[in-house]
Amino acid sequence: MLRLETIICTFSVLSVAARADFKARNCSEVREACTARGFSFAHVPLQEIPGEHLRVCPQGNTCCTQEMEDKFGQQSKQDFESLVDEMSHELRSTFVSRHKRFDEFFLELLENTERSLHEMFVRTYGKPYMQNSAVFENLFAELKRYYTGGNVNLEEMLNDFWSRLLERMFTLLNSQYVITEDYLECISKYTEELKPFGDVPRKLKAQVTRAFIAARTFVQGLSVGREVAQRVSKVSSTPPCIRALTKMMYCPYCQGMPAVKSCKNYCLNVMKGCLANQADLDPEWNLYIDAMLLVAQRLEGPFNIESVMEPIDVKISEAIMNMQENSAQVSYRVFQGCGQPKPAGMTRSTRGVSDVFNARFRPYSPEERPTTAAGTSLDRLVVDIKEKLKLSKKFWSILPEAMCVEDRVTAGNASDDECWNGHTKGRYFSEVQKDGLTNQVNNPEVLVDITRPDTLIRQQIMALRVMTNKLRNAYNGNDIYFQDSSDEGSGGSGSGSGCTEVCPTDMEGAASEAPVVEADRSGPVDDSAPLHAPSVALPTMLALSVLALHRQWR
């Protein structure tokens, strides 16, 4: 009897153990978790099965079939790419929105300035200006063409503008003479020597050149940052990376622990291995951000394009007044160098005063600021973008850290023993690797080929390097020819955008100081002919007439 009781007791203990073992191997929780995640498998085991068929997850007893592991691999790739896209969304949207706002601001500032000048001149000078408004239109067209990426040398363009203005004014102020094309060419040689417009051209050229270089380069910089962020955010996962992601994110399912998330340090090693190339972008990205911040300082201060463009009509008027007041002396010096032109008939010398304008420009009111599409002034736009730029520093090197604080990836605040370490639930002991490709040579989780850098990332590094060099030159008021590789013929690069591809550049400065042409004393001088300087009254009125005509490019 005693022996029978012993046998029954032993059988009972074994039965309890068997039931406990069966409970431990039940896969119902895995089935529920897979259904909740939207997985559709042909078969999910009711209880653990031998795992010899697995290629990524541990091959002991498992709740996963081969089909499940394969789909987990596909899903882990999608999850990773989606997470990178989500984490970089704010960065990308910042560059997209700020580039759009700055581009709108600069373009509308140009349009408003031209419209303001046009309305003032029509109001003040009427018909003479209207007949010659194309001169001003050409000036603003060239400024806009430069800003939008055209191959325009600002200094040469402005020098040419003042030369043409001198020719037009001289012709009007000396309407009693026949001024030929050859004579006009001779006159242009005396622009630098005579300084007929006073010091206005020199000052305006310096201000306009620096401001436009800074404005165009800054907006191009925003465009390059936008393109780099968009391209680098589209990660291309390597097979070793996908294996590591699958093991980290979904192998707990196969072990019957779908709710257990990875240990943080384990996640960091996986992410640093998968994002090794992105981390290599960070040093050049940080230099680019620093250069953008330097140019932003210039836009807030001496290179502020808003403060340069708003009073440009008044500055041009000052130059014309200088020419008017010194017309007799200028004409005399030109006659000395180029000879006295032939007298014209009565028709030219007695033209009606109704065709000349005789009013000065209205004083400039700093309070009259243009209303722009951006809805604010340049200084506020710059302050806003500076704050955003500062936040974007070190973005690519801290991306793994940012991704591994997500509750959907790691165990969060759980203890070190309650997280997935790649094999089971427990502490992760491996050392966290440093950032960058070369530092992944001993990464315990991701097999990284450090001899094969990602080509796309290297292209973006080069694009940032080129842009940083351009920004540093712009900070010093220098320009570098910037041509879109997709439009080699025109050199244009879209609306203030710089380029949309990896940007090649000519490292030689394009905007060098225009050469000074010495006065030509070899022109014909007729000593026997009297030197007729125009009367003060007629030049006074005609000089202003020239203001309108000065807008007509020859």
Side-chain angles (χ1 to χ4, degrees), residues 117 121 125 129 135-136 161-162 165-166 168-169 172-173 196-198 200-201 312-327 330 357 359-361 539-551:
L117 185 146
F121 279 33
Y125 306 112
Y129 164 72
V135 176
F136 294 94
F161 169 78
W162 293 112
L165 178 56
L166 172 61
R168 300 307 172 196
M169 289 199 67
L172 286 176
L173 291 170
F197 302 110
V200 174
I312 198 170
D313 49 6
V314 178
K315 292 179 180 179
I316 292 176
S317 76
E318 292 174 1
I320 290 175
M321 296 308 166
N322 287 332
M323 173 69 180
Q324 174 192 346
E325 292 167 2
N326 298 298
S327 60
V330 170
F357 46 95
R360 285 183 177 270
F361 286 67
T540 298
M541 292 186 291
L542 290 178
L544 286 172
S545 236
V546 174
L547 165 58
L549 291 176
H550 91 325
R551 284 218 149 199

Side-chain angles (χ1 to χ4, degrees), residues 167 180-191 334 337-339 520 522-524:
E167 295 172 5
T180 65
E181 291 294 318
D182 289 341
Y183 200 88
L184 291 176
E185 287 295 328
C186 182
I187 291 174
S188 66
K189 298 177 182 179
Y190 290 87
T191 305
V334 170
C338 298
D520 183 5
S522 62

Side-chain angles (χ1 to χ4, degrees), residues 169-226:
M169 289 199 67
F170 186 88
T171 300
L172 286 176
L173 291 170
N174 294 276
S175 58
Q176 68 271 39
Y177 297 106
V178 176
I179 307 298
T180 65
E181 291 294 318
D182 289 341
Y183 200 88
L184 291 176
E185 287 295 328
C186 182
I187 291 174
S188 66
K189 298 177 182 179
Y190 290 87
T191 305
E192 190 69 26
E193 177 188 355
L194 297 177
K195 291 183 169 47
F197 302 110
D199 207 29
V200 174
R202 183 188 65 82
K203 292 181 178 179
L204 192 60
K205 180 172 68 174
Q207 293 170 348
V208 169
T209 299
R210 293 185 308 180
F212 268 79
I213 289 173
R216 180 173 82 159
T217 307
F218 191 72
V219 175
Q220 288 173 345
L222 289 173
S223 176
V224 169
R226 176 193 66 192

Side-chain angles (χ1 to χ4, degrees), residues 275-346:
L275 296 171
N277 284 282
Q278 280 75 6
D280 278 350
L281 184 77
D282 212 53
E284 204 63 51
W285 176 265
N286 294 336
L287 292 174
Y288 151 77
I289 295 297
D290 289 338
M292 286 287 290
L293 292 172
L294 285 175
V295 176
Q297 292 176 10
R298 292 298 203 201
L299 289 174
E300 290 179 305
F303 295 3
N304 188 312
I305 193 172
E306 192 174 24
S307 63
V308 169
M309 292 304 295
E310 285 181 1
I312 198 170
D313 49 6
V314 178
K315 292 179 180 179
I316 292 176
S317 76
E318 292 174 1
I320 290 175
M321 296 308 166
N322 287 332
M323 173 69 180
Q324 174 192 346
E325 292 167 2
N326 298 298
S327 60
Q329 180 183 0
V330 170
S331 296
Y332 179 81
R333 296 287 298 277
V334 170
F335 290 165
Q336 279 189 316
C338 298
Q340 184 176 338
K342 295 179 181 179
M346 290 299 292

Side-chain angles (χ1 to χ4, degrees), residues 64 86 163 173 175 209 273 300 331 351 376 386 394 433 455 548:
C64 288
E86 180 181 329
S163 295
L173 291 170
S175 58
T209 299
E300 290 179 305
S331 296
R351 70 174 63 192
T376 184
K386 281 173 62 179
K394 299 184 178 180
Q433 304 300 296
T455 302

Side-chain angles (χ1 to χ4, degrees), residues 93-102 222 384-385 388:
S93 62
T94 292
F95 279 92
V96 170
S97 62
R98 269 50 180 192
H99 173 266
K100 183 175 183 293
R101 290 178 63 189
F102 270 79
L222 289 173
D384 171 70
I385 191 61
K388 299 296 184 181

